[in-house]
Amino acid sequence: MERLQSLNEQFGIKGQLEFAEGPGGLAVAEIRNAGGRATVALQGAHVMTFEPHGDEPVLWLSDYAKFAPGKSIRGGVPVCWPWFGAHASDPALPAHGYARTVDWQPVASEALADGRTRLVFELIETPATKAMCPHPLRLRNTITVGTTLTVALETTNLSQTPFRLTQALHTYFAVADVRRISIEGLEDCDYLDKVEGFARKHQQGPVTIAHEVDRIYLGSGDLLEIRDPGMERIIRITSSGSRSAVVWNPWIEKAEKMGDFGPDGHLGMVCVETANAADDSIELAPGAVHTLSAEYGIEYL
């Protein structure tokens, strides 16, 4: 508990931000202010929960999620970095990189003048992470909580050679019934359909979910909306630094195999991910910085 005490002394904000022991003994940051509240695991700088004050949760966190060192948490906002999907040349490396399963260190916190709370994390490099990605990079995750939640990944190339980056905010959103929602803003985009061998297809009309969906949308804009008649609300996703988006729901068979969704867990969630994936990979020049960010907010119908 010395670590938690030290973190509270350095970065705690009375009445807004406190570090505590969370599920499975994982260290978490608990953020509460007049606008909203969130819980962030230091492992993965992983936002587990977020809800605006007086409203329903925006993020979905599985009741069967496993909280343990080195294990990805099912739900919230996992960080996929420094690659999205399978590694380009080494299939033995973990899918979606390692950022979501390693420790991060808080480096700054601030109570903003508008009432929001900001917490900045930096990924801790270790011999194990350097073995997976020897290229010198710095990754920071800035999390800002109020009536909306903003997550911003900032990657800096610290070397004298370029680096090809793919990444995503693998965000799980809470919905009343995924079979009744629609996702707007991806109309007329081409997409790669992973369920059908990455076949390239074209989206016509809003996206709906009636079976397993795993798609990378190309040329996406900076505003997507999840319309949820069951919860009588719209979740708005405003992004920057991204021209691709991923829509994912594992459906019945795959969710059962994963073991941490629970019965019918797939019906209460949908992933709409702000990404740099496929054609939207980022060529980071020496010394260059790229920021991928998303802001999540709700409006009731």
Side-chain angles (χ1 to χ4, degrees):
M1 294 300 101
E2 288 184 10
R3 183 191 184 196
L4 294 176
Q5 181 178 346
S6 176
L7 289 171
N8 279 313
E9 289 173 354
Q10 291 181 77
F11 304 108
I13 302 173
K14 187 175 181 180
Q16 290 195 34
L17 170 59
E18 181 180 5
F19 296 88
E21 183 176 325
L26 295 180
V28 300
E30 297 177 343
I31 301 172
R32 290 179 174 82
N33 55 43
R37 62 181 183 177
T39 304
V40 186
L42 273 62
Q43 177 174 277
H46 186 138
V47 182
M48 298 192 300
T49 66
F50 165 67
E51 54 193 74
H53 182 70
D55 289 321
E56 295 294 320
V58 175
L59 302 179
W60 180 85
L61 179 66
S62 175
D63 291 337
Y64 297 80
K66 299 170 183 176
F67 302 96
K71 300 293 184 182
S72 181
I73 300 166
R74 181 68 65 193
V77 190
V79 173
C80 302
W81 183 97
W83 59 84
F84 176 81
H87 189 273
S89 61
D90 187 350
L93 290 174
H96 299 314
Y98 52 83
R100 58 186 175 163
T101 58
V102 300
D103 278 339
W104 295 55
Q105 173 64 41
V107 293
S109 62
E110 184 179 6
L112 302 179
D114 60 8
R116 295 182 299 162
T117 308
R118 178 168 293 157
L119 179 58
V120 184
F121 289 92
E122 186 170 311
L123 187 145
I124 299 172
E125 291 283 8
T126 65
T129 64
K130 291 177 181 178
M132 289 185 280
C133 181
H135 197 103
L137 301 168
R138 181 177 65 226
L139 179 62
R140 288 189 169 179
N141 189 5
T142 300
I143 296 162
T144 308
V145 178
T147 57
T148 65
L149 168 69
T150 302
V151 182
L153 291 181
E154 179 191 271
T155 304
T156 304
N157 185 354
L158 300 175
S159 83
Q160 298 303 309
T161 56
F163 180 80
R164 178 67 63 177
L165 173 70
T166 57
Q167 59 183 344
L169 298 170
H170 196 307
T171 308
Y172 292 73
F173 292 101
V175 297
D177 185 336
V178 74
R179 297 168 295 187
R180 296 182 60 205
I181 69 165
S182 62
I183 302 167
E184 300 191 357
L186 295 170
E187 296 84 351
D188 296 324
C189 287
D190 285 349
Y191 65 89
L192 304 177
D193 191 339
K194 184 178 178 181
V195 176
E196 297 190 17
F198 290 100
R200 193 176 184 112
K201 300 182 180 181
H202 187 74
Q203 180 67 39
Q204 296 182 338
V207 180
T208 56
I209 311 289
H211 47 72
E212 181 186 353
V213 171
D214 193 349
R215 303 170 181 171
I216 301 174
Y217 283 86
L218 309 171
S220 56
D222 59 6
L223 176 63
L224 304 179
E225 294 184 343
I226 303 170
R227 293 183 170 264
D228 184 355
M231 296 187 78
E232 299 183 325
R233 72 181 185 183
I234 300 168
I235 299 176
R236 286 199 170 91
I237 306 162
T238 307
S239 64
S240 65
S242 166
R243 293 183 295 106
S244 57
V246 177
V247 177
W248 181 70
N249 184 286
W251 212 242
I252 302 167
E253 184 177 349
K254 187 165 285 187
E256 288 177 349
K257 289 180 180 178
M258 289 179 174
D260 55 3
F261 268 85
D264 295 328
H266 68 285
L267 294 179
M269 56 69 63
V270 66
C271 285
V272 180
E273 308 172 33
T274 301
N276 296 122
D279 298 353
D280 184 31
S281 64
I282 301 298
E283 179 79 7
L284 265 183
V289 179
H290 177 76
T291 301
L292 173 74
S293 71
E295 181 178 19
Y296 312 125
I298 60 172
E299 176 184 327
Y300 282 95
L301 298 171

